Amino acid sequence: MIFVVDVGNTNITCGVYAGKELKATFRIMSKMPRTSDEYGILLMDLLKTKEVDMDQIEGCIISSVVPDVMHSLTGGIVRYLGVTPLVVGPGVRTGIKITTENPRSIGADRIVDAVAAYEKYGGPVLVLDFGTATTYDLVTADGSFSAGITAPGIRISAEALWEKAAKLPKIEIKKPKSILAQETISSMQAGLMYGQIGQTEYIIKRVKEETGLQDLKVVATGGLGRTIADETDTIDIYDPALTLEGLRIIYEKNCG
């Protein structure tokens, strides 16, 4: 079995693969400082809860956009799970060519998503990840990561509303019954959700216009991705495990 770990700005998402089958997933917060022992014990407890036999874990791969947690996290994995993680970065084979102006500036999570979308669905493909930031990444037919767009995520936008406007409350982020809101909470929900849907549709439209790829596949992932995907026909596929799949694929390319 392979233990895959995606360290995001908000959560650390973990999965366990037996071959190509995803056997278990769980999340922990990434913003809370932890020692390597705390990470190790927490991961062991969560794996036991998911009925994963840790003796069967043969390898591990990590992608991370939060450098501060890596020393403790990798130390905990080595000490308590008994495997040395492969960390996605320069020198790791991905099967994707990065042709942007500064390839090293592309986050590991975006590369992993691009690998999974290209391997699973082919190219050209536009990969959307609705996370802390909302990202749109273009992978061409020959497997080149050629362009990316970055926007504030829904949660960032929501936090900006209630932190910067004294009279606006914290709210649950969900789609209201109607865009024609008649009170504060549903008006905020309408602005956040329908605003994100509108942004998504416009960016996809512009990417197709500027590339001329009207048959471009659009694949989405990320926490709030399903809600957006359900509300627009511009997204072809919602794949909640896309990032974990990408990690598995990259591991197999390097260690399989």
Side-chain angles (χ1 to χ4, degrees), residues 67-124:
D68 290 350
V69 310
M70 289 300 290
H71 179 74
S72 295
L73 177 61
T74 55
I77 290 171
V78 170
R79 190 176 306 168
Y80 287 85
L81 302 188
V83 292
T84 300
L86 171 69
V87 179
V88 178
V92 172
R93 293 189 298 275
T94 64
I96 291 288
K97 296 170 289 194
I98 302 175
T99 57
T100 57
E101 288 186 4
N102 186 0
R104 290 181 178 270
S105 70
I106 305 298
D109 56 337
R110 299 174 79 155
I111 295 170
V112 170
D113 284 347
V115 168
Y118 184 72
E119 291 277 344
K120 291 184 70 176
Y121 306 110

Side-chain angles (χ1 to χ4, degrees), residues 176-242:
K177 293 180 180 179
S178 170
I179 198 170
L180 303 176
Q182 295 184 326
E183 43 73 37
T184 301
I185 291 176
S186 61
S187 75
M188 293 171 66
Q189 291 170 334
L192 289 166
M193 295 306 299
Y194 288 107
Q196 181 69 72
I197 293 164
Q199 176 199 100
T200 300
E201 292 181 338
Y202 183 76
I203 288 178
I204 292 170
K205 175 186 174 184
R206 283 301 300 266
V207 169
K208 288 183 175 182
E209 287 176 352
E210 292 197 22
T211 61
L213 299 170
Q214 292 302 317
D215 60 345
L216 180 67
K217 296 183 194 72
V218 181
V219 178
T221 193
L224 289 166
R226 185 182 297 280
T227 302
I228 304 303
D230 287 345
E231 295 296 322
T232 175
D233 58 7
T234 59
I235 294 174
D236 299 311
I237 300 162
Y238 175 70
D239 188 337
L242 191 72

Side-chain angles (χ1 to χ4, degrees), residues 6-13 28-32 63-69 107 109 131-135 150 155-156 159:
D6 174 48
V7 182
N9 289 297
T10 303
N11 293 308
I12 300 173
T13 304
I28 57 179
M29 291 183 63
S30 56
K31 292 184 178 180
M32 183 179 296
S63 68
S64 175
V65 295
V66 188
D68 290 350
V69 310
D109 56 337
T132 304
T134 300
T135 57
T150 306
R155 200 168 303 280
I156 287 178
E159 290 173 356

